[in-house]
Amino acid sequence: MVNVDISNIWCSVSLPDLLTLEPSVSGAHAALMDAGGASFLSWLDDDSADLLARLSETADRVRDQAAYLVVVGDGSAVLGARALLELLLGRDHALRGGVRVLFAGSDLSTHAWKRLDALLEQNDFYVHAVGRDGMSLQSAAALRALRWTLERRYGMERAKEHLIVTTDPSRGALRQLSVQEGCTAFNLPRTLAGHESVLAPGALLCLMTAGVDVKAILAGAAGTRKELEIRSFENPAWLYAAARIILAKRGKRAEYLCAAEPDAWTLCRWWQDLFGSRACWKGKGLLPVAAELPGDLQQLHGLLSDGKLPLMQTFLRFAPPPQRQQVSMDLHDFDNLNCLNGYTLDFLQEQTIAGALQAGQDGGVPMVTVDCGRLEEAVLGELMYFFELSSSLCAGMLKRNLYAEEPPARFAEAASQLLGRLPPEKEG
C-alpha cells in the first residue's frame, strides 16, 4: 500500500494542529462514501467480468485490424491512461503485444495534427472518443478531423466499425453520435461532478489495447479501496489530505510534486489536473505544480531553500527495479568522479532526494514523502486510487460537494461567444 511520511511538515504545523482536522477529514470521507446517492468509484466493488470481456473483445479486434489506436479527449481519464502507459511501457509507449496508442484532442495545434495525419496516412487505425456529456472545443475539432479521415480511408460504413465511444450512459453529444452511427460504445460511470476516473472503461480500453494487464490494475485499486476505508490518521490518504489542508490554512499557496522517474511526468500532470480541478476551489487549497528531479532541483532550491515563500514539496518515490544499473568507470576520470565506481543509479537518486529533503528541512520548508512501490500494474492501481481519494477528501474538507453538477467553465463560455460572433476564417 502507498506509504505517506509527513514527519517533515512539523516546521510549519504542530501535531495538535493536525489533529484538530480529524472531524473535518472524517466528515469529508463520510460525505464521499456514506451519503445517500454517493457512488465514489463504486463499480470497483461490482462483478466486472462482463465488462472486461467486452473490453477485451474490442481490444483484440483493434489489435487484429490496426497499427494505431487514436484516443480523443482531454479529461482526467485520458490523461491518466497516458500516464499509466508511460509508467509501464515508457514515454514512447513501447509495445507489449499491443498496438501503439496515440492521443489527440488536447490541443488546437496545426503542427500536431499534421504530424498525426501523416502517421495515420499509411497505417490502419481505430479512433476511441472519451468524454462526458460533450467534448471540449479541441477534442471536438480533433474528432471531426479523425472521422473524416476514417471515412476517406474506409468508406462511410466501415468507418463506423473503426470508431469507439466511451461516454455518459444516456445523454450528451457522444452518446447521440454512438446511437446514430451504431458504433461500439461503453458507459462512463457518472461520479464526482462529471469528473472521469482513470479506473473506468474510458482509460481501461486504451491500456488493454496496448497490452497492459488491466485486471491487475483493477485488483490493486479494489484492494486499496478496502484498505483505505479506515477512518483514522492511520489511513495514508487522510494524512496526505490533512497535511495539504493544514498547510494551506497556515498560508502555503502551492505544492510542488517532485518525481525522479522521467516516465512519471505525465502522472504528475494527471495529479496536477486532479488536484487542481477538485482541491482548489474559490481561492482555497494549494495550487498543484509538477517538477522533475533532478533536472528542476536548481530552480526548486532557489524557490524553497529558505522556507520564506508560501510553498511546500511532495516527493513521489518508486522502488528500484530488481536489476540495478551501476555507474560506469572512466579510465581517464575526466570529471574526477571515479569515486562513484560501484554505486548504482538508484543509490545516487536516493542520495539526491535525501539531499533535497535535508536542504528543505534546514530551510524550514514543509515536505511530504509518498512511497509508491514498484512500477507494476497492481501497485499503480493502488496509487491512482490513493490520489483520487486524497483529492476528493481535500475537496470535502474545503466544503465542496463533488456530487453536485458544475457550471460550464467561464473561459469555455467566453470562447463560444467569441466564435459565435466571428465569421469563418477564409484563406488568402
Side-chain angles (χ1 to χ4, degrees), residues 183-196:
C183 60
T184 301
F186 294 93
N187 293 335
L188 196 62
R190 177 166 291 278
T191 182
L192 301 183
H195 293 294
E196 305 158 12

Side-chain angles (χ1 to χ4, degrees), residues 361-380:
Q361 187 176 9
D362 293 344
V365 179
M367 294 171 292
V368 173
T369 302
V370 179
D371 286 303
C372 309
R374 290 186 177 178
L375 287 173
E376 300 171 350
E377 280 93 339
V379 172
L380 292 178

Side-chain angles (χ1 to χ4, degrees), residues 59 186 310 314 417:
F186 294 93
T314 296
Q417 292 172 3

Side-chain angles (χ1 to χ4, degrees), residues 28 74 124 146 241 252 278-279 366:
D74 61 350
D124 288 314
L146 286 164
K252 301 302 178 183
R278 294 184 186 178

Side-chain angles (χ1 to χ4, degrees), residues 151-183:
E151 292 171 2
R152 181 168 56 89
R153 172 75 61 82
Y154 300 108
M156 294 287 289
E157 291 305 313
R158 283 194 63 204
K160 299 175 183 178
E161 300 174 4
H162 283 250
L163 177 63
I164 305 166
V165 170
T166 301
T167 187
D168 187 271
S170 60
R171 69 186 190 188
L174 284 180
R175 175 54 61 185
Q176 182 180 353
L177 171 66
S178 70
V179 172
Q180 181 176 322
E181 297 291 291
C183 60

Side-chain angles (χ1 to χ4, degrees), residues 25-290:
V25 67
S26 178
H29 204 154
L32 200 63
M33 301 292 193
D34 306 334
S39 59
F40 181 70
L41 310 192
S42 56
W43 63 88
L44 289 174
D45 293 332
D46 300 335
D47 181 7
S48 57
D50 291 342
L51 172 60
L52 290 177
R54 282 193 64 217
L55 289 171
S56 180
E57 179 183 347
T58 304
D60 288 342
R61 173 159 54 94
V62 175
R63 282 196 294 266
D64 289 342
Q65 300 179 7
Y68 297 106
L69 173 68
V70 185
V71 182
V72 184
D74 61 350
S76 183
V78 173
L79 191 57
R82 187 170 187 170
L84 288 172
L85 282 175
E86 293 184 4
L87 284 166
L88 292 166
L89 304 180
R91 284 190 179 183
D92 60 353
H93 301 166
L95 305 185
R96 188 192 288 177
V99 305
R100 177 82 178 270
V101 180
L102 307 174
F103 294 89
S106 62
D107 58 69
L108 290 167
S109 167
T110 300
H111 297 292
W113 167 250
K114 292 294 185 183
R115 286 192 292 269
L116 176 62
D117 189 43
L119 192 62
L120 299 178
E121 188 66 32
Q122 305 298 326
N123 296 279
D124 288 314
F125 67 98
Y126 270 69
V127 174
H128 181 202
V130 183
R132 176 55 61 192
D133 300 328
M135 302 197 85
S136 65
L137 181 64
Q138 56 268 29
S139 294
L143 183 58
R144 281 171 170 251
L146 286 164
R147 288 181 63 209
W148 184 86
T149 305
L150 282 174
E151 292 171 2
R152 181 168 56 89
R153 172 75 61 82
Y154 300 108
M156 294 287 289
E157 291 305 313
R158 283 194 63 204
K160 299 175 183 178
E161 300 174 4
H162 283 250
L163 177 63
I164 305 166
V165 170
T166 301
T167 187
D168 187 271
S170 60
R171 69 186 190 188
L174 284 180
R175 175 54 61 185
Q176 182 180 353
L177 171 66
S178 70
V179 172
Q180 181 176 322
E181 297 291 291
C183 60
T184 301
F186 294 93
N187 293 335
L188 196 62
R190 177 166 291 278
T191 182
L192 301 183
H195 293 294
E196 305 158 12
S197 171
V198 69
L199 300 169
L204 299 182
L205 178 60
C206 312
L207 300 170
M208 192 176 286
T209 305
V212 172
D213 187 353
V214 164
K215 290 184 179 179
I217 290 176
L218 290 176
T224 301
R225 175 181 168 86
K226 294 178 181 178
E227 292 176 346
L228 297 187
E229 260 300 297
I230 185 171
R231 308 293 175 95
S232 74
F233 279 119
E234 294 180 6
N235 184 333
W238 274 41
L239 279 180
Y240 183 49
R244 295 182 86 257
I245 293 299
I246 192 65
L247 287 169
K249 289 179 178 290
R250 292 296 181 272
K252 301 302 178 183
R253 292 291 175 262
E255 174 187 14
Y256 277 82
L257 181 71
C258 306
E261 286 294 333
D263 292 330
W265 180 244
T266 303
L267 174 71
C268 293
R269 286 185 56 216
W270 173 79
W271 166 89
Q272 188 171 280
D273 175 81
L274 191 69
F275 280 83
S277 60
R278 294 184 186 178
C280 286
W281 191 56
K282 293 185 177 182
K284 300 177 182 178
L286 296 171
L287 175 70
V289 183

